[in-house]
Amino acid sequence: MSAWEELERPAPDAVEIDGVAVRRGSRVLLRPAPGGDVFDVALADQVAVVEAIEQDMEEQILLAVVVEDDPGRDLGQRRQPGHRFFFDPAEVEPLGEAAATAEPEMRVLVAGIGNVFLGDDGFGVALANRLAASELPAGVEVVDFGIRGIDLAWAMQDGYDAVVLLDATPRGSAPGTLYLIEPEVEPGAHPIEGHGMDPVTVLSLVHALGGTPPRTLVVGCEPLTRIDPDDESVVADLSEPVRLALDEGMKMVDSLLAELTAPKQEKRSPP
């Protein structure tokens, strides 16, 4: 089996535990196996909600959960470390479903991409971090993917209805200019670069993995500084015009998310 075929095996939508189908949104009681670490001790007998079902390269199924009583539960739902934990199905007991865990009408992934050590290339990551600290509509998850293109390509196949990519986007306008772009990439139309992390490359990678990208929008910003990745210098700060564009970028993304997550009868085309 090739490496690509290894990567193409998706996790199941549900796993059966004690005769009960456990899936995303199911409530479970955590029963860590003996001999675990300090987190297992702290999480024992806690009630949690399954955030995702994942499968590793050895075909081991793991449940990604967030703890109901965790004050930072919203961070876990956005897949932030420290508030999202992994358990073997044998380490949980199914409970009744929680009314509050009903699926929202739309699931939207907001992905910050870029290299924070290459000047304005870090725009997307900076904007994602601001958004992650703000109040978001139900069904919206914000994740800083940095330069992890393969992780983003897999995440885009995780049942999202739409994906919003945040990225530095050189198009020739004045630095700090914001763009809203809806790219479309046909399968095989663009060569895959192993270290590429621009939206076209990511969409091509989704096709190469055998998936179909959800509707994808890019909120981009015209950079001032463009540093060659092979340059050994490190520039960890955004230029002044790009830094000032972050506030307007927040407003643009907020408006876009409001459109994408509006009830179906109220939906309009995003601006």
Side-chain angles (χ1 to χ4, degrees), residues 11-252:
D13 293 329
V15 294
E16 186 172 312
I17 303 174
D18 296 334
V20 177
V22 173
R23 53 176 48 86
R24 187 175 189 273
S26 295
R27 298 175 71 240
V28 295
L29 187 65
L30 303 179
R31 301 289 197 189
D37 57 22
V38 64
F39 284 104
D40 286 337
V41 174
L43 295 173
D45 299 323
Q46 293 288 320
V47 176
V49 177
V50 176
E51 191 273 331
I53 299 175
E54 301 189 1
Q55 179 173 276
D56 63 20
M57 296 291 286
E58 284 72 42
E59 299 189 357
Q60 179 184 9
I61 300 297
L62 295 173
L63 303 179
V65 306
V66 292
V67 177
E68 279 194 342
D69 291 338
D70 181 2
R73 176 180 171 181
D74 61 321
L75 297 176
Q77 292 169 334
R78 298 174 196 168
R79 304 192 174 191
Q80 298 298 307
H83 299 275
R84 186 172 184 259
F85 307 95
F86 292 88
F87 285 85
D88 187 279
E91 296 180 300
V92 307
E93 295 179 13
L95 297 174
E97 298 299 312
T101 62
E103 289 286 320
E105 283 196 39
M106 291 284 291
R107 288 186 66 217
V108 181
L109 173 65
V110 180
I113 61 179
N115 191 327
V116 296
F117 298 115
L118 295 180
D120 288 343
D121 195 57
F123 166 80
V125 171
L127 184 55
N129 289 336
R130 284 200 182 192
L131 287 162
S134 67
E135 185 174 349
L136 298 166
V140 174
E141 301 172 40
V142 179
V143 182
D144 165 13
F145 282 94
I147 57 174
R148 297 178 290 118
I150 186 68
D151 290 345
L152 175 54
W154 271 119
M156 290 177 70
Q157 302 175 68
D158 193 25
Y160 292 102
D161 299 288
V163 174
V164 179
L165 304 178
L166 313 177
D167 193 21
T169 310
R171 305 186 82 193
S173 296
T177 300
L178 295 175
Y179 308 107
L180 179 58
I181 308 164
E182 186 164 0
E184 294 185 5
V185 177
E186 295 297 324
H190 189 272
I192 298 174
E193 301 173 14
H195 300 286
M197 191 48 174
D198 61 273
V200 172
T201 297
V202 172
L203 289 169
S204 297
L205 185 54
V206 174
H207 286 302
L209 291 171
T212 301
R215 182 184 182 191
T216 302
L217 298 145
V218 179
V219 173
C221 180
E222 184 73 40
L224 174 62
T225 59
R226 298 184 63 187
I227 300 172
D228 190 322
D230 295 327
D231 191 332
E232 294 183 359
S233 61
V234 172
V235 179
D237 297 320
L238 299 177
S239 67
E240 186 68 5
V242 172
R243 183 183 64 80
L244 293 175
L246 289 172
D247 286 343
E248 194 61 34
M250 285 279 290
K251 295 178 184 177
M252 179 180 287

